[in-house]
Coordinates of all heavy atoms in Angstrom, one line a residue:
L1 N 100.7 119.5 90.6 CA 101.2 118.7 91.7 C 100.4 117.4 91.7 O 99.2 117.4 91.4 CB 101.0 119.4 93.0 CG 101.4 118.7 94.3 CD1 102.9 118.6 94.5 CD2 100.8 119.5 95.5
Y2 N 101.0 116.3 92.1 CA 100.3 115.0 92.1 C 100.5 114.3 93.4 O 101.5 114.5 94.1 CB 100.9 114.1 91.0 CG 100.8 114.6 89.6 CD1 101.9 115.2 89.0 CD2 99.5 114.6 88.9 CE1 101.8 115.7 87.7 CE2 99.4 115.1 87.6 CZ 100.5 115.7 87.1 OH 100.4 116.2 85.8
L3 N 99.6 113.4 93.8 CA 99.8 112.5 94.9 C 99.2 111.2 94.4 O 98.0 111.0 94.3 CB 99.0 113.0 96.1 CG 99.2 112.1 97.4 CD1 100.6 112.3 97.9 CD2 98.2 112.5 98.5
Q4 N 100.2 110.2 94.2 CA 99.8 108.9 93.9 C 99.6 108.1 95.2 O 100.5 108.0 96.0 CB 100.9 108.2 93.0 CG 100.6 106.8 92.7 CD 99.4 106.6 91.7 OE1 99.3 107.4 90.8 NE2 98.6 105.6 92.0
M5 N 98.4 107.5 95.3 CA 98.0 106.8 96.5 C 97.7 105.4 96.2 O 96.8 105.1 95.5 CB 96.8 107.5 97.2 CG 97.0 109.0 97.4 SD 95.6 109.7 98.4 CE 94.3 109.5 97.2
N6 N 98.6 104.5 96.7 CA 98.4 103.1 96.5 C 98.1 102.4 97.9 O 98.3 102.9 98.9 CB 99.7 102.5 95.9 CG 100.0 103.0 94.6 OD1 99.1 103.4 93.8 ND2 101.3 103.1 94.3
S7 N 97.6 101.1 97.8 CA 97.3 100.3 99.0 C 96.5 101.1 100.0 O 96.8 101.2 101.2 CB 98.6 99.9 99.6 OG 99.4 99.1 98.7
L8 N 95.4 101.8 99.5 CA 94.6 102.6 100.3 C 93.9 101.9 101.4 O 93.5 100.7 101.2 CB 93.6 103.4 99.5 CG 94.2 104.6 98.7 CD1 93.3 105.0 97.5 CD2 94.4 105.8 99.6
K9 N 93.8 102.5 102.5 CA 93.1 102.0 103.7 C 91.9 102.8 104.1 O 91.9 104.0 103.8 CB 94.1 101.9 104.9 CG 95.4 101.2 104.6 CD 96.4 101.3 105.8 CE 97.7 100.6 105.5 NZ 98.7 100.8 106.6
P10 N 91.0 102.3 104.8 CA 89.8 103.1 105.3 C 90.3 104.3 106.1 O 89.6 105.3 106.0 CB 89.0 102.1 106.1 CG 89.3 100.7 105.5 CD 90.8 100.8 105.1
E11 N 91.3 104.2 106.8 CA 91.8 105.3 107.6 C 92.4 106.4 106.8 O 92.7 107.5 107.3 CB 92.8 104.9 108.7 CG 93.9 104.0 108.2 CD 93.7 102.6 108.3 OE1 92.6 102.1 108.1 OE2 94.7 101.9 108.8
D12 N 92.5 106.2 105.5 CA 93.0 107.3 104.5 C 91.8 108.2 104.1 O 92.0 109.2 103.4 CB 93.6 106.7 103.3 CG 94.9 106.0 103.6 OD1 95.7 106.5 104.4 OD2 95.2 104.9 103.0
T13 N 90.6 107.8 104.5 CA 89.4 108.6 104.1 C 89.5 110.0 104.7 O 89.7 110.1 105.9 CB 88.1 107.9 104.6 OG1 88.0 106.7 103.9 CG2 86.9 108.8 104.4
A14 N 89.4 111.0 103.9 CA 89.6 112.4 104.3 C 89.3 113.3 103.1 O 89.3 112.8 102.0 CB 90.9 112.6 104.9
V15 N 89.3 114.6 103.4 CA 89.4 115.6 102.3 C 90.8 115.9 102.2 O 91.5 116.2 103.2 CB 88.5 116.9 102.7 CG1 88.7 117.9 101.6 CG2 87.1 116.5 102.8
Y16 N 91.3 115.9 101.0 CA 92.7 116.1 100.7 C 92.9 117.5 100.1 O 92.2 117.9 99.2 CB 93.3 115.1 99.8 CG 93.6 113.8 100.5 CD1 92.5 113.0 100.9 CD2 94.9 113.3 100.7 CE1 92.7 111.8 101.5 CE2 95.1 112.1 101.4 CZ 94.0 111.4 101.8 OH 94.3 110.2 102.5
Y17 N 93.9 118.3 100.7 CA 94.1 119.6 100.2 C 95.6 119.8 99.8 O 96.5 119.2 100.4 CB 93.9 120.6 101.4 CG 92.6 120.6 102.0 CD1 92.2 119.8 103.0 CD2 91.6 121.5 101.5 CE1 90.9 119.8 103.6 CE2 90.3 121.5 102.1 CZ 90.0 120.7 103.1 OH 88.8 120.7 103.7
C18 N 95.8 120.6 98.7 CA 97.2 120.9 98.4 C 97.4 122.3 98.9 O 96.5 123.1 99.1 CB 97.4 120.8 96.9 SG 96.4 121.9 95.8
N19 N 98.7 122.6 99.1 CA 99.2 123.8 99.7 C 100.4 124.3 99.0 O 101.3 123.5 98.6 CB 99.4 123.6 101.2 CG 100.0 124.8 101.9 OD1 101.2 125.0 102.0 ND2 99.1 125.7 102.3
A20 N 100.6 125.6 98.9 CA 101.8 126.2 98.3 C 102.5 127.2 99.3 O 101.8 127.9 100.0 CB 101.4 126.9 97.0
N21 N 103.8 127.1 99.3 CA 104.6 128.0 100.2 C 105.8 128.5 99.4 O 106.6 127.7 98.9 CB 105.0 127.3 101.4 CG 105.6 128.2 102.5 OD1 106.0 129.3 102.2 ND2 105.5 127.8 103.7
P22 N 106.0 129.8 99.3 CA 107.1 130.4 98.6 C 108.4 130.1 99.3 O 109.5 130.2 98.7 CB 106.8 131.9 98.5 CG 105.9 132.1 99.6 CD 105.1 130.9 99.8
L23 N 108.3 129.7 100.6 CA 109.6 129.4 101.3 C 110.0 128.0 101.0 O 109.1 127.1 100.7 CB 109.3 129.5 102.8 CG 109.0 130.9 103.3 CD1 108.7 130.9 104.8 CD2 110.1 131.9 103.0
P24 N 111.3 127.6 101.0 CA 111.7 126.3 100.7 C 111.4 125.3 101.9 O 111.2 125.7 103.0 CB 113.2 126.5 100.5 CG 113.6 127.6 101.4 CD 112.4 128.6 101.3
V25 N 111.5 124.0 101.5 CA 111.4 123.0 102.6 C 112.7 123.2 103.5 O 113.7 123.7 103.0 CB 111.3 121.6 102.0 CG1 110.1 121.5 101.2 CG2 112.6 121.3 101.2
L26 N 112.5 122.8 104.7 CA 113.6 123.0 105.7 C 114.3 121.7 106.0 O 113.6 120.6 106.0 CB 113.1 123.6 107.0 CG 112.4 125.0 106.8 CD1 111.8 125.4 108.1 CD2 113.3 126.0 106.2
Y27 N 115.6 121.7 106.3 CA 116.3 120.5 106.7 C 117.1 120.8 107.9 O 117.9 121.8 107.9 CB 117.2 120.1 105.5 CG 117.9 118.8 105.8 CD1 117.3 117.6 106.0 CD2 119.3 118.8 105.7 CE1 117.9 116.4 106.2 CE2 120.0 117.6 106.0 CZ 119.3 116.4 106.2 OH 120.0 115.2 106.4
N28 N 117.0 120.0 109.0 CA 117.7 120.3 110.2 C 118.9 119.4 110.4 O 119.5 119.3 111.4 CB 116.8 120.1 111.4 CG 116.4 118.7 111.6 OD1 116.7 117.8 110.9 ND2 115.6 118.5 112.7
G29 N 119.3 118.7 109.3 CA 120.5 117.8 109.3 C 120.1 116.3 109.5 O 120.9 115.4 109.2
R30 N 118.8 116.2 109.8 CA 118.3 114.8 109.9 C 116.9 114.6 109.2 O 116.7 113.6 108.6 CB 118.2 114.4 111.4 CG 117.9 112.9 111.6 CD 117.6 112.6 113.1 NE 116.3 113.0 113.5 CZ 115.8 112.7 114.7 NH1 116.6 112.0 115.6 NH2 114.6 113.0 115.1
D31 N 116.0 115.6 109.4 CA 114.7 115.5 108.9 C 114.4 116.7 108.0 O 114.9 117.8 108.3 CB 113.7 115.4 110.0 CG 113.9 114.1 110.8 OD1 113.9 113.0 110.3 OD2 113.9 114.2 112.1
Y32 N 113.5 116.5 107.1 CA 112.9 117.6 106.3 C 111.6 118.1 106.9 O 110.9 117.3 107.5 CB 112.7 117.1 104.9 CG 113.9 117.0 104.1 CD1 114.5 115.8 103.9 CD2 114.5 118.1 103.5 CE1 115.7 115.7 103.1 CE2 115.7 118.0 102.7 CZ 116.2 116.8 102.6 OH 117.4 116.6 101.8
Y33 N 111.3 119.3 106.8 CA 110.1 119.9 107.3 C 109.4 120.8 106.2 O 110.1 121.4 105.4 CB 110.4 120.8 108.5 CG 110.9 120.0 109.7 CD1 112.3 119.8 109.9 CD2 110.0 119.4 110.6 CE1 112.7 119.1 111.0 CE2 110.5 118.7 111.7 CZ 111.8 118.5 111.9 OH 112.3 117.8 112.9

């Protein structure tokens, strides 16, 4: 898995974690979750 981060800002400072879920992403007709 990748995360390309451009135009970084000081407020992007953090520890970044990846996560896995066997369940699919959800869609309510307007937004994904």
Side-chain angles (χ1 to χ4, degrees):
L1 175 73
Y2 302 100
L3 185 67
Q4 178 66 45
M5 304 187 296
N6 299 328
S7 302
L8 282 160
K9 304 175 181 179
E11 51 263 45
D12 294 319
T13 294
V15 178
Y16 284 71
Y17 299 89
C18 62
N19 177 268
N21 193 337
L23 298 177
V25 300
L26 302 176
Y27 182 62
N28 67 358
R30 190 184 76 173
D31 298 309
Y32 285 97
Y33 294 91

